[in-house]
Amino acid sequence: MLSHEDNELLCRVGRGTPMGNLMRQYWIPALPSAEFPNPDCPPKRMMLLGENLVLFRDSRGAWVRWPRIVWVSARQSR
């Protein structure tokens, strides 16, 4: 059984954590390409490794990832 400290070390994947740094060295599939059928289709927001991201395809069809986007819900914007 893992100690609490070892469990924390292995489970925390935020930016700057040991496991987060390790995971960011590898390709991590986020969404299927079918979610973005055409260039300039609506963006999708998601959380991956504890980071808020916005994913979309630009006018040329290239993938774009925007990190550190602050999400504002409709309730918060009123």
Side-chain angles (χ1 to χ4, degrees), residues 27-74:
W27 173 253
I28 302 172
L31 290 171
S33 59
E35 295 280 335
F36 303 94
N38 304 311
D40 294 324
C41 58
K44 304 249 183 213
R45 63 184 186 174
M46 64 173 300
M47 182 176 284
L48 184 65
L49 296 177
E51 292 187 63
N52 293 330
L53 303 173
V54 174
L55 302 171
F56 61 94
R57 293 176 93 175
D58 66 12
S59 298
R60 298 171 307 179
W63 296 98
V64 180
R65 170 185 66 94
W66 283 52
R68 299 187 202 96
I69 298 294
V70 177
W71 296 347
V72 178
S73 70

mmCIF file of all heavy atoms in Angstrom, residues 27-74:
data_model
loop_
_atom_site.group_PDB
_atom_site.id
_atom_site.type_symbol
_atom_site.label_atom_id
_atom_site.label_comp_id
_atom_site.label_asym_id
_atom_site.label_seq_id
_atom_site.Cartn_x
_atom_site.Cartn_y
_atom_site.Cartn_z
ATOM 1 N N TRP A 27 2.892 12.505 -25.486
ATOM 2 C CA TRP A 27 1.687 12.851 -26.225
ATOM 3 C C TRP A 27 0.479 12.309 -25.468
ATOM 4 O O TRP A 27 0.437 11.129 -25.108
ATOM 5 C CB TRP A 27 1.749 12.237 -27.624
ATOM 6 C CG TRP A 27 0.505 12.393 -28.402
ATOM 7 C CD1 TRP A 27 -0.399 11.416 -28.691
ATOM 8 C CD2 TRP A 27 0.004 13.588 -28.994
ATOM 9 N NE1 TRP A 27 -1.427 11.928 -29.421
ATOM 10 C CE2 TRP A 27 -1.211 13.265 -29.623
ATOM 11 C CE3 TRP A 27 0.455 14.900 -29.048
ATOM 12 C CZ2 TRP A 27 -1.959 14.203 -30.304
ATOM 13 C CZ3 TRP A 27 -0.306 15.825 -29.723
ATOM 14 C CH2 TRP A 27 -1.489 15.487 -30.337
ATOM 15 N N ILE A 28 -0.504 13.156 -25.229
ATOM 16 C CA ILE A 28 -1.712 12.738 -24.526
ATOM 17 C C ILE A 28 -2.905 13.059 -25.411
ATOM 18 O O ILE A 28 -3.191 14.232 -25.678
ATOM 19 C CB ILE A 28 -1.863 13.481 -23.180
ATOM 20 C CG1 ILE A 28 -0.646 13.215 -22.309
ATOM 21 C CG2 ILE A 28 -3.141 13.054 -22.479
ATOM 22 C CD1 ILE A 28 -0.618 14.054 -21.057
ATOM 23 N N PRO A 29 -3.608 12.046 -25.925
ATOM 24 C CA PRO A 29 -4.798 12.322 -26.735
ATOM 25 C C PRO A 29 -5.833 13.061 -25.890
ATOM 26 O O PRO A 29 -6.090 12.690 -24.746
ATOM 27 C CB PRO A 29 -5.309 10.948 -27.134
ATOM 28 C CG PRO A 29 -4.261 9.974 -26.741
ATOM 29 C CD PRO A 29 -3.366 10.634 -25.753
ATOM 30 N N ALA A 30 -6.404 14.106 -26.450
ATOM 31 C CA ALA A 30 -7.349 14.923 -25.692
ATOM 32 C C ALA A 30 -8.774 14.748 -26.196
ATOM 33 O O ALA A 30 -9.670 14.437 -25.424
ATOM 34 C CB ALA A 30 -6.937 16.390 -25.765
ATOM 35 N N LEU A 31 -8.999 14.976 -27.466
ATOM 36 C CA LEU A 31 -10.326 14.842 -28.069
ATOM 37 C C LEU A 31 -10.177 14.169 -29.430
ATOM 38 O O LEU A 31 -9.166 14.382 -30.114
ATOM 39 C CB LEU A 31 -10.956 16.223 -28.286
ATOM 40 C CG LEU A 31 -11.389 16.992 -27.047
ATOM 41 C CD1 LEU A 31 -11.788 18.416 -27.421
ATOM 42 C CD2 LEU A 31 -12.560 16.303 -26.377
ATOM 43 N N PRO A 32 -11.172 13.403 -29.860
ATOM 44 C CA PRO A 32 -11.085 12.808 -31.195
ATOM 45 C C PRO A 32 -11.176 13.888 -32.274
ATOM 46 O O PRO A 32 -11.863 14.900 -32.109
ATOM 47 C CB PRO A 32 -12.287 11.865 -31.255
ATOM 48 C CG PRO A 32 -13.182 12.284 -30.154
ATOM 49 C CD PRO A 32 -12.367 13.023 -29.139
ATOM 50 N N SER A 33 -10.490 13.679 -33.379
ATOM 51 C CA SER A 33 -10.495 14.677 -34.446
ATOM 52 C C SER A 33 -11.891 14.884 -35.030
ATOM 53 O O SER A 33 -12.172 15.935 -35.606
ATOM 54 C CB SER A 33 -9.508 14.297 -35.553
ATOM 55 O OG SER A 33 -9.838 13.040 -36.087
ATOM 56 N N ALA A 34 -12.787 13.913 -34.858
ATOM 57 C CA ALA A 34 -14.163 14.074 -35.335
ATOM 58 C C ALA A 34 -14.879 15.228 -34.635
ATOM 59 O O ALA A 34 -15.861 15.755 -35.140
ATOM 60 C CB ALA A 34 -14.940 12.777 -35.128
ATOM 61 N N GLU A 35 -14.376 15.636 -33.469
ATOM 62 C CA GLU A 35 -14.958 16.774 -32.753
ATOM 63 C C GLU A 35 -14.685 18.100 -33.487
ATOM 64 O O GLU A 35 -15.313 19.107 -33.201
ATOM 65 C CB GLU A 35 -14.390 16.862 -31.338
ATOM 66 C CG GLU A 35 -14.742 15.704 -30.449
ATOM 67 C CD GLU A 35 -16.136 15.825 -29.872
ATOM 68 O OE1 GLU A 35 -16.653 16.949 -29.751
ATOM 69 O OE2 GLU A 35 -16.692 14.773 -29.527
ATOM 70 N N PHE A 36 -13.722 18.075 -34.410
ATOM 71 C CA PHE A 36 -13.324 19.280 -35.156
ATOM 72 C C PHE A 36 -13.307 18.946 -36.645
ATOM 73 O O PHE A 36 -12.251 18.828 -37.252
ATOM 74 C CB PHE A 36 -11.930 19.741 -34.720
ATOM 75 C CG PHE A 36 -11.821 20.001 -33.249
ATOM 76 C CD1 PHE A 36 -11.382 19.018 -32.393
ATOM 77 C CD2 PHE A 36 -12.168 21.237 -32.728
ATOM 78 C CE1 PHE A 36 -11.282 19.254 -31.037
ATOM 79 C CE2 PHE A 36 -12.074 21.478 -31.372
ATOM 80 C CZ PHE A 36 -11.638 20.480 -30.523
ATOM 81 N N PRO A 37 -14.490 18.775 -37.258
ATOM 82 C CA PRO A 37 -14.531 18.276 -38.634
ATOM 83 C C PRO A 37 -13.967 19.241 -39.675
ATOM 84 O O PRO A 37 -13.477 18.812 -40.705
ATOM 85 C CB PRO A 37 -16.018 18.018 -38.866
ATOM 86 C CG PRO A 37 -16.716 18.916 -37.898
ATOM 87 C CD PRO A 37 -15.807 19.037 -36.716
ATOM 88 N N ASN A 38 -14.049 20.540 -39.432
ATOM 89 C CA ASN A 38 -13.639 21.527 -40.438
ATOM 90 C C ASN A 38 -12.792 22.629 -39.805
ATOM 91 O O ASN A 38 -12.920 22.899 -38.615
ATOM 92 C CB ASN A 38 -14.874 22.189 -41.068
ATOM 93 C CG ASN A 38 -15.818 21.188 -41.666
ATOM 94 O OD1 ASN A 38 -15.404 20.311 -42.407
ATOM 95 N ND2 ASN A 38 -17.097 21.298 -41.327
ATOM 96 N N PRO A 39 -11.974 23.282 -40.628
ATOM 97 C CA PRO A 39 -11.292 24.483 -40.114
ATOM 98 C C PRO A 39 -12.321 25.514 -39.657
ATOM 99 O O PRO A 39 -13.425 25.582 -40.191
ATOM 100 C CB PRO A 39 -10.503 24.990 -41.321
ATOM 101 C CG PRO A 39 -10.321 23.783 -42.186
ATOM 102 C CD PRO A 39 -11.557 22.956 -41.979
ATOM 103 N N ASP A 40 -11.967 26.297 -38.673
ATOM 104 C CA ASP A 40 -12.827 27.355 -38.126
ATOM 105 C C ASP A 40 -14.119 26.833 -37.511
ATOM 106 O O ASP A 40 -15.090 27.579 -37.389
ATOM 107 C CB ASP A 40 -13.146 28.419 -39.178
ATOM 108 C CG ASP A 40 -11.914 29.185 -39.601
ATOM 109 O OD1 ASP A 40 -11.049 29.422 -38.739
ATOM 110 O OD2 ASP A 40 -11.811 29.545 -40.779
ATOM 111 N N CYS A 41 -14.162 25.552 -37.111
ATOM 112 C CA CYS A 41 -15.344 25.060 -36.404
ATOM 113 C C CYS A 41 -15.302 25.597 -34.975
ATOM 114 O O CYS A 41 -14.275 26.096 -34.523
ATOM 115 C CB CYS A 41 -15.407 23.533 -36.447
ATOM 116 S SG CYS A 41 -13.994 22.712 -35.754
ATOM 117 N N PRO A 42 -16.401 25.549 -34.259
ATOM 118 C CA PRO A 42 -16.424 26.122 -32.905
ATOM 119 C C PRO A 42 -15.367 25.498 -31.997
ATOM 120 O O PRO A 42 -15.114 24.288 -32.058
ATOM 121 C CB PRO A 42 -17.829 25.781 -32.401
ATOM 122 C CG PRO A 42 -18.636 25.531 -33.621
ATOM 123 C CD PRO A 42 -17.686 24.987 -34.647
ATOM 124 N N PRO A 43 -14.744 26.302 -31.155
ATOM 125 C CA PRO A 43 -13.739 25.775 -30.226
ATOM 126 C C PRO A 43 -14.381 24.930 -29.131
ATOM 127 O O PRO A 43 -15.572 25.040 -28.846
ATOM 128 C CB PRO A 43 -13.098 27.034 -29.638
ATOM 129 C CG PRO A 43 -14.121 28.092 -29.809
ATOM 130 C CD PRO A 43 -14.915 27.740 -31.029
ATOM 131 N N LYS A 44 -13.577 24.073 -28.541
ATOM 132 C CA LYS A 44 -14.021 23.240 -27.422
ATOM 133 C C LYS A 44 -13.112 23.526 -26.241
ATOM 134 O O LYS A 44 -11.904 23.652 -26.388
ATOM 135 C CB LYS A 44 -13.901 21.763 -27.781
ATOM 136 C CG LYS A 44 -14.630 21.376 -29.031
ATOM 137 C CD LYS A 44 -15.785 20.535 -28.705
ATOM 138 C CE LYS A 44 -16.439 20.098 -30.011
ATOM 139 N NZ LYS A 44 -17.815 19.957 -29.912
ATOM 140 N N ARG A 45 -13.700 23.634 -25.077
ATOM 141 C CA ARG A 45 -12.880 23.828 -23.879
ATOM 142 C C ARG A 45 -12.817 22.524 -23.107
ATOM 143 O O ARG A 45 -13.740 21.714 -23.139
ATOM 144 C CB ARG A 45 -13.415 24.960 -23.036
ATOM 145 C CG ARG A 45 -14.777 24.751 -22.489
ATOM 146 C CD ARG A 45 -15.236 25.985 -21.761
ATOM 147 N NE ARG A 45 -16.512 25.706 -21.126
ATOM 148 C CZ ARG A 45 -17.123 26.522 -20.339
ATOM 149 N NH1 ARG A 45 -16.607 27.699 -20.085
ATOM 150 N NH2 ARG A 45 -18.264 26.195 -19.797
ATOM 151 N N MET A 46 -11.694 22.333 -22.442
ATOM 152 C CA MET A 46 -11.494 21.109 -21.683
ATOM 153 C C MET A 46 -10.436 21.335 -20.626
ATOM 154 O O MET A 46 -9.733 22.338 -20.648
ATOM 155 C CB MET A 46 -11.078 19.970 -22.605
ATOM 156 C CG MET A 46 -9.744 20.188 -23.273
ATOM 157 S SD MET A 46 -9.170 18.765 -24.184
ATOM 158 C CE MET A 46 -9.069 17.559 -22.924
ATOM 159 N N MET A 47 -10.340 20.398 -19.706
ATOM 160 C CA MET A 47 -9.281 20.427 -18.709
ATOM 161 C C MET A 47 -8.429 19.182 -18.924
ATOM 162 O O MET A 47 -8.945 18.081 -19.053
ATOM 163 C CB MET A 47 -9.839 20.448 -17.301
ATOM 164 C CG MET A 47 -8.746 20.538 -16.254
ATOM 165 S SD MET A 47 -9.380 20.677 -14.578
ATOM 166 C CE MET A 47 -9.880 22.387 -14.572
ATOM 167 N N LEU A 48 -7.124 19.392 -19.002
ATOM 168 C CA LEU A 48 -6.192 18.293 -19.190
ATOM 169 C C LEU A 48 -4.998 18.539 -18.280
ATOM 170 O O LEU A 48 -4.412 19.628 -18.305
ATOM 171 C CB LEU A 48 -5.749 18.226 -20.657
ATOM 172 C CG LEU A 48 -4.850 17.072 -21.058
ATOM 173 C CD1 LEU A 48 -5.594 15.741 -20.901
ATOM 174 C CD2 LEU A 48 -4.403 17.234 -22.499
ATOM 175 N N LEU A 49 -4.666 17.570 -17.462
ATOM 176 C CA LEU A 49 -3.577 17.684 -16.490
ATOM 177 C C LEU A 49 -3.732 18.921 -15.610
ATOM 178 O O LEU A 49 -2.771 19.612 -15.299
ATOM 179 C CB LEU A 49 -2.219 17.690 -17.194
ATOM 180 C CG LEU A 49 -1.858 16.412 -17.953
ATOM 181 C CD1 LEU A 49 -0.533 16.583 -18.665
ATOM 182 C CD2 LEU A 49 -1.820 15.217 -17.031
ATOM 183 N N GLY A 50 -4.966 19.209 -15.234
ATOM 184 C CA GLY A 50 -5.227 20.315 -14.331
ATOM 185 C C GLY A 50 -5.178 21.693 -14.969
ATOM 186 O O GLY A 50 -5.243 22.697 -14.268
ATOM 187 N N GLU A 51 -5.065 21.772 -16.292
ATOM 188 C CA GLU A 51 -5.003 23.069 -16.970
ATOM 189 C C GLU A 51 -6.249 23.277 -17.816
ATOM 190 O O GLU A 51 -6.680 22.376 -18.534
ATOM 191 C CB GLU A 51 -3.776 23.140 -17.885
ATOM 192 C CG GLU A 51 -2.471 23.149 -17.146
ATOM 193 C CD GLU A 51 -1.315 23.400 -18.086
ATOM 194 O OE1 GLU A 51 -1.272 24.492 -18.693
ATOM 195 O OE2 GLU A 51 -0.470 22.504 -18.218
ATOM 196 N N ASN A 52 -6.825 24.461 -17.749
ATOM 197 C CA ASN A 52 -7.941 24.826 -18.613
ATOM 198 C C ASN A 52 -7.394 25.127 -19.997
ATOM 199 O O ASN A 52 -6.482 25.936 -20.155
ATOM 200 C CB ASN A 52 -8.661 26.061 -18.079
ATOM 201 C CG ASN A 52 -9.355 25.794 -16.770
ATOM 202 O OD1 ASN A 52 -9.790 24.681 -16.519
ATOM 203 N ND2 ASN A 52 -9.450 26.794 -15.936
ATOM 204 N N LEU A 53 -7.953 24.454 -21.008
ATOM 205 C CA LEU A 53 -7.502 24.626 -22.385
ATOM 206 C C LEU A 53 -8.675 24.910 -23.292
ATOM 207 O O LEU A 53 -9.801 24.488 -23.017
ATOM 208 C CB LEU A 53 -6.802 23.358 -22.885
ATOM 209 C CG LEU A 53 -5.609 22.868 -22.089
ATOM 210 C CD1 LEU A 53 -5.162 21.509 -22.619
ATOM 211 C CD2 LEU A 53 -4.474 23.862 -22.161
ATOM 212 N N VAL A 54 -8.407 25.610 -24.377
ATOM 213 C CA VAL A 54 -9.367 25.782 -25.457
ATOM 214 C C VAL A 54 -8.693 25.231 -26.709
ATOM 215 O O VAL A 54 -7.584 25.647 -27.052
ATOM 216 C CB VAL A 54 -9.756 27.255 -25.656
ATOM 217 C CG1 VAL A 54 -10.648 27.410 -26.872
ATOM 218 C CG2 VAL A 54 -10.454 27.793 -24.419
ATOM 219 N N LEU A 55 -9.349 24.267 -27.360
ATOM 220 C CA LEU A 55 -8.802 23.641 -28.553
ATOM 221 C C LEU A 55 -9.653 24.014 -29.755
ATOM 222 O O LEU A 55 -10.879 24.042 -29.671
ATOM 223 C CB LEU A 55 -8.798 22.123 -28.400
ATOM 224 C CG LEU A 55 -8.026 21.570 -27.213
ATOM 225 C CD1 LEU A 55 -8.291 20.080 -27.074
ATOM 226 C CD2 LEU A 55 -6.552 21.830 -27.363
ATOM 227 N N PHE A 56 -8.994 24.287 -30.886
ATOM 228 C CA PHE A 56 -9.718 24.565 -32.120
ATOM 229 C C PHE A 56 -8.792 24.380 -33.303
ATOM 230 O O PHE A 56 -7.592 24.195 -33.149
ATOM 231 C CB PHE A 56 -10.321 25.977 -32.111
ATOM 232 C CG PHE A 56 -9.321 27.093 -31.987
ATOM 233 C CD1 PHE A 56 -8.822 27.723 -33.116
ATOM 234 C CD2 PHE A 56 -8.890 27.516 -30.744
ATOM 235 C CE1 PHE A 56 -7.907 28.756 -32.996
ATOM 236 C CE2 PHE A 56 -7.984 28.547 -30.616
ATOM 237 C CZ PHE A 56 -7.490 29.170 -31.750
ATOM 238 N N ARG A 57 -9.377 24.406 -34.505
ATOM 239 C CA ARG A 57 -8.604 24.362 -35.736
ATOM 240 C C ARG A 57 -8.684 25.740 -36.375
ATOM 241 O O ARG A 57 -9.757 26.319 -36.490
ATOM 242 C CB ARG A 57 -9.159 23.313 -36.680
ATOM 243 C CG ARG A 57 -8.979 21.914 -36.147
ATOM 244 C CD ARG A 57 -9.616 20.906 -37.024
ATOM 245 N NE ARG A 57 -8.618 20.432 -37.968
ATOM 246 C CZ ARG A 57 -8.835 19.461 -38.832
ATOM 247 N NH1 ARG A 57 -10.009 18.880 -38.876
ATOM 248 N NH2 ARG A 57 -7.891 19.077 -39.636
ATOM 249 N N ASP A 58 -7.543 26.256 -36.804
ATOM 250 C CA ASP A 58 -7.534 27.579 -37.427
ATOM 251 C C ASP A 58 -7.993 27.483 -38.884
ATOM 252 O O ASP A 58 -8.380 26.411 -39.361
ATOM 253 C CB ASP A 58 -6.167 28.248 -37.287
ATOM 254 C CG ASP A 58 -5.062 27.545 -38.048
ATOM 255 O OD1 ASP A 58 -5.352 26.656 -38.886
ATOM 256 O OD2 ASP A 58 -3.888 27.893 -37.828
ATOM 257 N N SER A 59 -7.959 28.589 -39.597
ATOM 258 C CA SER A 59 -8.464 28.649 -40.979
ATOM 259 C C SER A 59 -7.722 27.709 -41.927
ATOM 260 O O SER A 59 -8.269 27.280 -42.928
ATOM 261 C CB SER A 59 -8.369 30.082 -41.513
ATOM 262 O OG SER A 59 -9.175 30.925 -40.741
ATOM 263 N N ARG A 60 -6.474 27.384 -41.609
ATOM 264 C CA ARG A 60 -5.702 26.456 -42.440
ATOM 265 C C ARG A 60 -5.918 25.006 -42.039
ATOM 266 O O ARG A 60 -5.380 24.107 -42.661
ATOM 267 C CB ARG A 60 -4.212 26.780 -42.340
ATOM 268 C CG ARG A 60 -3.862 28.171 -42.842
ATOM 269 C CD ARG A 60 -2.435 28.473 -42.504
ATOM 270 N NE ARG A 60 -2.293 28.228 -41.061
ATOM 271 C CZ ARG A 60 -1.180 28.359 -40.387
ATOM 272 N NH1 ARG A 60 -0.085 28.721 -40.982
ATOM 273 N NH2 ARG A 60 -1.134 28.140 -39.092
ATOM 274 N N GLY A 61 -6.659 24.778 -40.947
ATOM 275 C CA GLY A 61 -6.906 23.423 -40.461
ATOM 276 C C GLY A 61 -5.892 22.950 -39.438
ATOM 277 O O GLY A 61 -5.945 21.815 -38.994
ATOM 278 N N ALA A 62 -4.953 23.824 -39.052
ATOM 279 C CA ALA A 62 -3.944 23.455 -38.051
ATOM 280 C C ALA A 62 -4.566 23.484 -36.656
ATOM 281 O O ALA A 62 -5.437 24.296 -36.364
ATOM 282 C CB ALA A 62 -2.768 24.424 -38.115
ATOM 283 N N TRP A 63 -4.090 22.588 -35.792
ATOM 284 C CA TRP A 63 -4.587 22.516 -34.414
ATOM 285 C C TRP A 63 -3.993 23.636 -33.585
ATOM 286 O O TRP A 63 -2.814 23.930 -33.672
ATOM 287 C CB TRP A 63 -4.216 21.180 -33.784
ATOM 288 C CG TRP A 63 -4.872 20.038 -34.479
ATOM 289 C CD1 TRP A 63 -4.317 19.237 -35.424
ATOM 290 C CD2 TRP A 63 -6.209 19.593 -34.314
ATOM 291 N NE1 TRP A 63 -5.227 18.313 -35.850
ATOM 292 C CE2 TRP A 63 -6.395 18.504 -35.185
ATOM 293 C CE3 TRP A 63 -7.269 19.996 -33.509
ATOM 294 C CZ2 TRP A 63 -7.600 17.817 -35.266
ATOM 295 C CZ3 TRP A 63 -8.463 19.318 -33.600
ATOM 296 C CH2 TRP A 63 -8.621 18.249 -34.460
ATOM 297 N N VAL A 64 -4.817 24.250 -32.752
ATOM 298 C CA VAL A 64 -4.370 25.325 -31.864
ATOM 299 C C VAL A 64 -4.839 25.005 -30.459
ATOM 300 O O VAL A 64 -5.968 24.578 -30.253
ATOM 301 C CB VAL A 64 -4.939 26.694 -32.317
ATOM 302 C CG1 VAL A 64 -4.472 27.790 -31.389
ATOM 303 C CG2 VAL A 64 -4.552 26.983 -33.755
ATOM 304 N N ARG A 65 -3.952 25.202 -29.499
ATOM 305 C CA ARG A 65 -4.274 24.987 -28.083
ATOM 306 C C ARG A 65 -3.958 26.281 -27.352
ATOM 307 O O ARG A 65 -2.867 26.812 -27.451
ATOM 308 C CB ARG A 65 -3.428 23.851 -27.526
ATOM 309 C CG ARG A 65 -3.512 23.713 -26.027
ATOM 310 C CD ARG A 65 -2.561 22.655 -25.521
ATOM 311 N NE ARG A 65 -1.177 23.005 -25.718
ATOM 312 C CZ ARG A 65 -0.408 23.598 -24.808
ATOM 313 N NH1 ARG A 65 -0.898 23.918 -23.631
ATOM 314 N NH2 ARG A 65 0.840 23.868 -25.061
ATOM 315 N N TRP A 66 -4.913 26.783 -26.616
ATOM 316 C CA TRP A 66 -4.717 28.000 -25.829
ATOM 317 C C TRP A 66 -4.732 27.642 -24.360
ATOM 318 O O TRP A 66 -5.767 27.276 -23.825
ATOM 319 C CB TRP A 66 -5.823 29.007 -26.126
ATOM 320 C CG TRP A 66 -5.643 29.708 -27.412
ATOM 321 C CD1 TRP A 66 -5.439 29.130 -28.624
ATOM 322 C CD2 TRP A 66 -5.626 31.098 -27.634
ATOM 323 N NE1 TRP A 66 -5.314 30.081 -29.578
ATOM 324 C CE2 TRP A 66 -5.431 31.304 -29.000
ATOM 325 C CE3 TRP A 66 -5.766 32.191 -26.802
ATOM 326 C CZ2 TRP A 66 -5.364 32.571 -29.549
ATOM 327 C CZ3 TRP A 66 -5.707 33.446 -27.349
ATOM 328 C CH2 TRP A 66 -5.508 33.626 -28.709
ATOM 329 N N PRO A 67 -3.602 27.748 -23.688
ATOM 330 C CA PRO A 67 -3.599 27.456 -22.247
ATOM 331 C C PRO A 67 -3.993 28.668 -21.417
ATOM 332 O O PRO A 67 -4.012 29.792 -21.903
ATOM 333 C CB PRO A 67 -2.135 27.093 -21.990
ATOM 334 C CG PRO A 67 -1.379 27.892 -22.999
ATOM 335 C CD PRO A 67 -2.277 27.972 -24.211
ATOM 336 N N ARG A 68 -4.259 28.402 -20.169
ATOM 337 C CA ARG A 68 -4.521 29.436 -19.169
ATOM 338 C C ARG A 68 -5.661 30.377 -19.539
ATOM 339 O O ARG A 68 -5.609 31.559 -19.300
ATOM 340 C CB ARG A 68 -3.247 30.229 -18.891
ATOM 341 C CG ARG A 68 -2.157 29.362 -18.345
ATOM 342 C CD ARG A 68 -0.971 30.199 -17.925
ATOM 343 N NE ARG A 68 0.205 29.387 -17.903
ATOM 344 C CZ ARG A 68 1.074 29.291 -18.891
ATOM 345 N NH1 ARG A 68 0.926 29.983 -19.984
ATOM 346 N NH2 ARG A 68 2.118 28.526 -18.779
ATOM 347 N N ILE A 69 -6.679 29.843 -20.174
ATOM 348 C CA ILE A 69 -7.868 30.637 -20.472
ATOM 349 C C ILE A 69 -8.728 30.676 -19.205
ATOM 350 O O ILE A 69 -8.961 29.652 -18.572
ATOM 351 C CB ILE A 69 -8.678 30.011 -21.630
ATOM 352 C CG1 ILE A 69 -7.846 29.971 -22.905
ATOM 353 C CG2 ILE A 69 -9.982 30.745 -21.837
ATOM 354 C CD1 ILE A 69 -7.502 31.319 -23.468
ATOM 355 N N VAL A 70 -9.184 31.828 -18.835
ATOM 356 C CA VAL A 70 -10.075 31.952 -17.684
ATOM 357 C C VAL A 70 -11.506 31.790 -18.185
ATOM 358 O O VAL A 70 -11.955 32.542 -19.040
ATOM 359 C CB VAL A 70 -9.903 33.323 -16.998
ATOM 360 C CG1 VAL A 70 -10.894 33.458 -15.855
ATOM 361 C CG2 VAL A 70 -8.478 33.489 -16.507
ATOM 362 N N TRP A 71 -12.174 30.784 -17.695
ATOM 363 C CA TRP A 71 -13.544 30.543 -18.108
ATOM 364 C C TRP A 71 -14.476 31.378 -17.256
ATOM 365 O O TRP A 71 -14.393 31.403 -16.044
ATOM 366 C CB TRP A 71 -13.904 29.082 -17.936
ATOM 367 C CG TRP A 71 -13.111 28.165 -18.802
ATOM 368 C CD1 TRP A 71 -12.309 28.497 -19.857
ATOM 369 C CD2 TRP A 71 -13.032 26.760 -18.681
ATOM 370 N NE1 TRP A 71 -11.744 27.382 -20.397
ATOM 371 C CE2 TRP A 71 -12.162 26.309 -19.693
ATOM 372 C CE3 TRP A 71 -13.590 25.848 -17.834
ATOM 373 C CZ2 TRP A 71 -11.869 24.967 -19.864
ATOM 374 C CZ3 TRP A 71 -13.297 24.516 -18.000
ATOM 375 C CH2 TRP A 71 -12.450 24.079 -19.010
ATOM 376 N N VAL A 72 -15.381 32.063 -17.893
ATOM 377 C CA VAL A 72 -16.376 32.863 -17.182
ATOM 378 C C VAL A 72 -17.745 32.316 -17.558
ATOM 379 O O VAL A 72 -18.120 32.316 -18.725
ATOM 380 C CB VAL A 72 -16.269 34.360 -17.571
ATOM 381 C CG1 VAL A 72 -17.344 35.156 -16.859
ATOM 382 C CG2 VAL A 72 -14.889 34.898 -17.262
ATOM 383 N N SER A 73 -18.461 31.846 -16.579
ATOM 384 C CA SER A 73 -19.803 31.325 -16.861
ATOM 385 C C SER A 73 -20.765 32.489 -17.019
ATOM 386 O O SER A 73 -20.468 33.631 -16.658
ATOM 387 C CB SER A 73 -20.265 30.417 -15.725
ATOM 388 O OG SER A 73 -20.523 31.205 -14.569
ATOM 389 N N ALA A 74 -21.921 32.214 -17.567
ATOM 390 C CA ALA A 74 -22.927 33.265 -17.766
ATOM 391 C C ALA A 74 -23.307 33.901 -16.440
ATOM 392 O O ALA A 74 -23.543 35.093 -16.364
ATOM 393 C CB ALA A 74 -24.146 32.686 -18.465
#
